[in-house]
Amino acid sequence: MNHWGHKHVIDLSTFSIEDYSLVLTLANRFKKVPVTGAGRLPALQGKLITTLFFESSTRTRSSFEIAAKRLSADVQSFSANTSSLNKGESYLDTALTYVAMGADVLVVRHSSTNIPQKLASYLDNIGEKTSILNGGDGLHSHPSQGLLDLFTLANFFSPNDPSTESLKGKQVTIVGDILHSRVARSNLWSLTACGANVVLCGPPSLVPKEFIDFVKRPPSGQKLDPIKKRGTLKISRNLKQSLEDADAIMTLRLQKERMQENLLSSMETYHDEYGLTLEKLKWCKNKVPVLHPGPVNRGLEISGDILEDRSICLIEKQVSNGVPIRMALLYLLGNQ
Ligand code: CP
């Protein structure tokens, strides 16, 4: 079918440029598939996709479920709040229960880093064929979000041919709570792989200087970086400077629930220095799009006037592009 060689999708650090191209090409085709009825594709007929979300989600979980249905898969949705986790069952035994029910792909979200990786290794060791698709783990990785952001930017820069090439040489400024963001980490791998130059902007408490080395070497346990030459990565403390040459801006939610100590003097100061407003977007040389993975703290990292300006704000497009991107991932994992 293609060169695809991943049984599981855990982290975009393992993606080659051919992997990105394949996912974008498939997503572009799936974008045109009708929502309901006979228009559904039979690609995953007879397959069972289980969304195993141990942490809350609106966008990711729902769009994986829509994506699976559009490919004619059976969908099993797990609700942590009403599950036997409340009786002390472990995440591993919970996952194995769904494997025993025949899940072909488990989409796993967990608040702890590396749970999807541990599950994947466990299943490989016992010879189970079930694939793990990371729906977001701790601070580590959110690969489907990184891919849908890439697809959204590729569509913005090159609507007729949204390929990896369309990102080459573009400056993407990512503003805000990088420290707690698995989305930012996944975007760092995907954007630099496609030749985009990334500027991370925020205070030292949320953008530690160590991030400068983030894509210099693959994570521990991974021998090689499949990308020969990545785009550059810089850190800026100055929002005005980091916006001047931006071709696109991504702002991130302040993850107050993950902030264990007082990392900011106040939310008001943060908003004044790093919160995006239409007024501050005038610092950009060109009219540039603004992305945000959601959910949003309206009026904190991004103002309501940007959210309401569809000529600038791509958030709705990110959400709708999540479906074809997740169709592409489920198609690739479900057809092995
Ligand atoms: N962007 C994202 O992961 O949103 P949810 O938490 O709603 O899935």
Side-chain angles (χ1 to χ4, degrees), residues 5-65:
H6 301 278
K7 180 185 171 196
H8 311 287
V9 172
I10 306 293
D11 188 358
L12 296 180
S13 61
T14 61
F15 265 43
S16 66
I17 204 69
E18 291 78 18
D19 294 329
Y20 289 110
S21 293
L22 180 58
V23 171
L24 293 196
T25 303
L26 281 171
N28 208 30
R29 280 189 214 150
F30 289 144
K31 209 173 168 177
K32 292 152 193 146
V33 173
V35 183
T36 55
R40 290 180 183 196
L41 292 174
L44 294 185
Q45 213 154 39
K47 302 283 183 180
L48 177 58
I49 310 297
T50 300
T51 50
L52 197 54
F53 278 49
F54 297 97
E55 188 204 280
S56 304
S57 165
T58 297
R59 282 147 279 267
T60 312
R61 176 187 180 139
S62 302
S63 60
F64 265 119
E65 292 178 358

Side-chain angles (χ1 to χ4, degrees), residues 40-261:
R40 290 180 183 196
L41 292 174
L44 294 185
Q45 213 154 39
K47 302 283 183 180
L48 177 58
I49 310 297
T50 300
T51 50
L52 197 54
F53 278 49
F54 297 97
E55 188 204 280
S56 304
S57 165
T58 297
R59 282 147 279 267
T60 312
R61 176 187 180 139
S62 302
S63 60
F64 265 119
E65 292 178 358
I66 294 167
K69 286 175 190 165
R70 286 192 191 172
L71 294 172
S72 306
D74 293 328
V75 179
Q76 173 71 64
S77 188
F78 157 82
S79 169
N81 289 342
T82 54
S83 74
S84 291
L85 288 173
N86 295 330
K87 301 173 190 165
E89 191 164 38
S90 69
Y91 83 85
L92 175 62
D93 288 330
T94 305
L96 291 175
T97 302
Y98 285 99
V99 170
M101 285 190 245
D104 294 286
V105 180
L106 284 178
V107 184
V108 179
R109 170 172 287 193
H110 203 288
S111 56
S112 296
T113 291
N114 279 337
I115 295 292
Q117 175 64 66
K118 284 181 187 160
L119 270 178
S121 303
Y122 188 92
L123 293 177
D124 290 347
N125 285 338
I126 61 170
E128 279 290 350
K129 65 173 180 46
T130 306
S131 292
I132 300 294
L133 214 170
N134 186 358
D137 63 320
L139 310 185
H140 171 226
S141 172
H142 194 345
S144 63
Q145 181 74 43
L147 291 166
L148 75 88
D149 291 341
L150 188 71
F151 188 50
T152 303
L153 284 170
N155 269 285
F156 179 83
F157 292 128
S158 180
N160 295 325
D161 179 24
S163 67
T164 56
E165 284 291 305
S166 35
L167 274 292
K168 212 167 207 160
K170 303 288 187 196
Q171 180 184 312
V172 181
T173 296
I174 306 181
V175 187
D177 189 357
I178 315 288
L179 179 67
H180 299 102
S181 178
R182 56 195 176 208
V183 174
R185 287 170 173 83
S186 286
N187 269 289
L188 281 174
W189 291 116
S190 55
L191 292 172
T192 59
C194 298
N197 301 317
V198 178
V199 176
L200 300 177
C201 181
S205 57
L206 297 183
V207 189
K209 61 180 178 2
E210 290 74 22
F211 267 95
I212 199 72
D213 292 330
F214 188 77
V215 292
K216 282 205 176 131
R217 61 195 72 85
S220 65
Q222 183 182 326
K223 287 197 185 101
L224 294 172
D225 184 348
I227 304 296
K228 285 198 179 67
K229 187 167 166 29
R230 291 185 176 272
T232 60
L233 178 53
K234 288 184 185 154
I235 290 178
S236 170
R237 307 290 174 212
N238 185 305
L239 183 62
K240 185 169 187 286
Q241 282 170 8
S242 76
L243 294 189
E244 275 166 1
D245 292 319
D247 295 298
I249 307 163
M250 182 180 297
T251 182
L252 300 168
R253 184 171 69 89
L254 277 186
Q255 299 196 33
K256 294 179 227 167
E257 76 280 14
R258 294 195 208 267
M259 293 187 188
Q260 311 218 317
E261 56 213 84

